[in-house]
Amino acid sequence: MEIKSALVNGTGEDYEIETVKLSEIQDDEIRVKMVASGICHSDEVARTGELPHPLPAILGHEGAGIVEEVGSYVKNIKAGDQVVLSYKYCGHCNHCLTGKPASCNSFASLNLDGKRSEGTYYFEKPDGTKINSYMHSAFSTYSIVKQENVTVVDDDVDLRLVGPLGCGFMTGAGTVFNGLKPEAGSTIAVFGTGAVGMAALMAGKIAGCTKVIGIDIHDDRLELARELGATHVINSKTQDIEEEVNQLTGNQGINYIVDTTGVVPVIKTAISLLAKEGVIAPIAVQKGDLELNVLTELSVSNRSIIGVLMGNTIPQLTIKQLVELHRANRFPFDKLIEFYKFEDINQASQDSASGKTVKPVLIIDEEYKPKAAQA
């Protein structure tokens, strides 16, 4: 079938909306009509080549849509279901079998190889040129996914809002809930208050941290961070961050830190602000290598650095949990979202990269209406 997709044809080039061909689904696959997709920093680094990916490609991995067709092997998912899409995992390696699919042995190949495991492609141009996939290639009117990509959500959920739960918001919240696991009454700081950082701040509040500190260089972001649950904010450009943290913690340092900046000097500063036995999770795409004196910066104070991918989540559980927290007004991620038309993808991408918009969401199906609105 012919569909519309936003392609990146060369490294650093703008998106181009083109008519492409979508293959037939296989027995273990699902065809989804996309309603909306968030734009994530991981899309930008793939477009610019900072994260090498074969081109031409259809990017996008924060998609939400409606199931149109399922293969004969697919269970518990049917045509008409509303779904949020996330990363793919094999389901049978040791990590998947112990409930840690983000550590799947095949994570990279399943999500970033650009094609099916047997070598066939989901998309091609009218002239036969093969098009590489990226995660679930959500920047498209239709896509083909596996059962592992899919989380079914209730019919009253607005699909225009929930796509970012499949990556950015899930990563930020999951890093706190599943990676750091802060105790009630502990302190947490988040460096960088973009989409992932804001989700981490909200999760810190939900987890019962008594001091939730947002750190950024933009006052408007910090003001929003306060609205979403930060108890304190620090503008590290205009304030002495060490002095502020010492005052807030009684010179004890911060128990838990999430870094979403990927800036090496910022990460070094964050480590220096950890309390004894403090833990930091740097989760951004980092530029440059981080050099440490392990003895003086970590061991002497029993500090730890942990890696957390995709929030160490099980998407089919976490996405539903975040939807319920949103219903309860405890995870108001909708305040971070700004909608863009699909054809304005390049503007949305620029606004995401510049920080003008915290979380741009492309409306791919403008005729979609939530079932609650139809009633």
Side-chain angles (χ1 to χ4, degrees):
M1 61 183 293
E2 290 190 344
I3 64 171
K4 294 286 187 182
S5 300
L7 272 69
V8 176
N9 287 300
T11 301
E13 294 183 7
D14 285 347
Y15 293 98
E16 296 183 31
I17 295 182
E18 301 181 22
T19 298
V20 305
K21 294 181 179 179
L22 182 69
S23 73
E24 296 293 326
I25 65 169
Q26 297 183 356
D27 288 336
D28 61 344
E29 294 177 342
I30 301 164
R31 187 174 74 245
V32 176
K33 182 180 183 181
M34 291 293 177
V35 168
S37 176
I39 292 181
C40 179
H41 183 62
S42 298
D43 298 312
E44 179 65 6
V45 296
R47 185 186 70 83
T48 61
E50 191 175 338
L51 176 67
H53 190 73
L55 301 175
I58 300 170
L59 306 181
H61 61 283
E62 291 187 338
I66 299 172
V67 174
E68 282 215 339
E69 184 181 3
V70 300
S72 59
Y73 295 168
V74 175
K75 305 299 181 186
N76 303 316
I77 298 170
K78 64 184 185 304
D81 281 345
Q82 292 206 138
V83 295
V84 178
L85 305 176
S86 189
Y87 65 86
K88 193 182 304 179
Y89 52 92
C90 75
H92 54 74
C93 71
N94 288 346
H95 300 292
C96 287
L97 291 175
T98 52
K100 297 178 180 179
S103 296
C104 174
N105 288 340
S106 301
F107 185 97
S109 60
L110 288 172
N111 291 287
L112 302 175
D113 270 3
K115 53 190 174 184
R116 295 182 176 95
S117 58
E118 78 276 13
T120 59
Y121 290 78
Y122 299 102
F123 306 94
E124 66 176 42
K125 293 191 177 188
D127 66 3
T129 301
K130 305 303 181 185
I131 303 170
N132 293 279
S133 301
Y134 180 78
M135 305 287 272
H136 50 264
S137 294
F139 297 162
S140 190
T141 52
Y142 290 85
S143 193
I144 294 174
V145 300
K146 300 277 192 176
Q147 183 151 348
E148 292 78 16
N149 289 112
V150 172
T151 298
V152 178
V153 295
D154 292 341
D155 286 347
D156 63 346
V157 170
D158 188 343
L159 291 179
R160 296 170 298 185
L161 292 175
V162 293
L165 295 181
C167 180
F169 296 153
M170 181 175 74
T171 293
T175 296
V176 175
F177 293 146
N178 306 319
L180 296 176
K181 301 177 182 177
E183 303 85 3
S186 59
T187 57
I188 189 169
V190 179
F191 283 72
T193 54
V196 175
M198 292 289 197
L201 284 170
M202 290 187 281
K205 179 182 179 181
I206 293 167
C209 296
T210 50
K211 288 187 173 66
V212 180
I213 307 166
I215 301 169
D216 207 307
I217 61 174
H218 300 290
D219 285 331
D220 56 339
R221 290 285 182 95
L222 294 173
E223 183 179 345
L224 181 56
R226 277 193 183 278
E227 184 180 342
L228 295 179
T231 59
H232 302 81
V233 296
I234 300 172
N235 186 319
S236 56
K237 191 175 183 179
T238 60
Q239 295 173 276
D240 186 317
I241 188 169
E242 183 176 358
E243 182 180 315
E244 295 292 329
V245 167
N246 285 338
Q247 185 175 347
L248 288 173
T249 65
N251 296 311
Q252 297 300 302
I254 302 164
N255 301 126
Y256 300 97
I257 293 177
V258 180
D259 176 76
T260 70
T261 70
V263 178
V264 170
V266 173
I267 298 172
K268 291 275 288 183
T269 297
I271 292 171
S272 74
L273 298 173
L274 281 171
K276 288 195 171 185
E277 299 189 349
V279 186
I280 181 171
I283 57 174
V285 177
Q286 180 183 307
K287 296 181 179 180
D289 294 330
L290 177 66
E291 295 184 4
L292 291 174
N293 185 311
V294 175
L295 177 64
T296 59
E297 297 181 73
L298 296 180
S299 299
V300 167
S301 296
N302 284 318
R303 294 166 171 165
S304 302
I305 301 174
I306 62 170
V308 186
L309 179 64
M310 302 297 296
N312 199 18
T313 56
I314 302 172
Q316 288 75 14
L317 299 179
T318 301
I319 289 170
K320 291 184 176 182
Q321 290 165 351
L322 296 178
V323 168
E324 290 307 310
L325 286 167
H326 181 258
R327 290 187 200 272
N329 296 316
R330 300 182 67 193
F331 193 72
F333 64 85
D334 55 297
K335 294 182 179 181
L336 304 171
I337 288 174
E338 184 171 335
F339 295 136
Y340 292 77
K341 293 183 177 182
F342 189 27
E343 58 264 32
D344 294 332
I345 184 171
N346 287 303
Q347 186 63 56
S349 179
Q350 291 171 24
D351 290 350
S352 176
S354 70
K356 179 181 178 181
T357 302
V358 178
K359 176 55 67 175
V361 171
L362 302 171
I363 303 301
I364 298 170
D365 180 3
E366 294 192 19
E367 296 183 357
Y368 169 82
K369 288 183 175 59
K371 293 191 177 179
Q374 299 176 29

